């Protein structure tokens, strides 16, 4: 494993996948544990990942890739998920603790 996350653009034509293009590749804090990632369609999109460094990593998928962090867990974050309304993020750590992050307003974070 190379400890990275890759953003890939998928191009479809007539309902068939016609092309895959690597859009961005970034190093993440994944080396030993199998960590879960998810996608949030809010704005231009966000890739959200757990990490072994106890943080939730949030990658803005706009034209400029910016990384943001959520810090609360005391042990590695092994899973993340967003709800269908894209208003809540759940993160779970290796001790089984689950944290709910509620999105009220992200306007202060540039895309």
């Amino acid at each position: 494993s190379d400890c990275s996350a890759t953003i890939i653009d998928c191009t479809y034509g007539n309902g068939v996948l016609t092309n895959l293009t690597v859009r961005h590749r970034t190093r993440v804090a994944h080396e030993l544990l199998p960590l879960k990632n998810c996608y949030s369609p809010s704005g231009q999109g966000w890739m959200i990942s757990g990490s072994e460094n106890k943080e939730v990593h949030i990658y803005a998928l706009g034209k400029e890739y910016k990384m943001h962090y959520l810090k609360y867990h005391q042990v590695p974050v092994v899973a993340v998920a967003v709800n269908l309304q894209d208003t809540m993020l759940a993160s779970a750590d290796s001790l089984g603790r689950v944290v709910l992050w509620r999105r009220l307003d992200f306007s202060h974070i540039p895309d």
Side-chain angles (χ1 to χ4, degrees), residues 46-106:
W46 303 84
M47 184 187 74
I48 305 165
S49 175
S51 73
E52 292 176 358
N53 68 359
K54 309 173 196 171
E55 299 173 342
V56 176
H57 293 199
I58 302 175
Y59 305 89
L61 300 179
K63 291 188 180 198
E64 293 182 30
Y65 297 98
K66 296 181 182 176
M67 187 182 303
H68 306 277
Y69 304 93
L70 297 176
K71 300 179 182 187
Y72 180 81
H73 293 277
Q74 302 302 310
V75 294
V77 179
V78 295
V80 292
V82 294
N83 67 341
L84 290 176
Q85 293 79 21
D86 201 30
T87 57
M88 192 169 302
L89 165 68
S91 59
D93 65 33
S94 60
L95 292 178
R97 293 186 190 103
V98 175
V99 176
L100 298 177
W101 308 86
R102 185 171 168 194
R103 180 172 60 93
L104 299 175
D105 180 12
F106 283 154

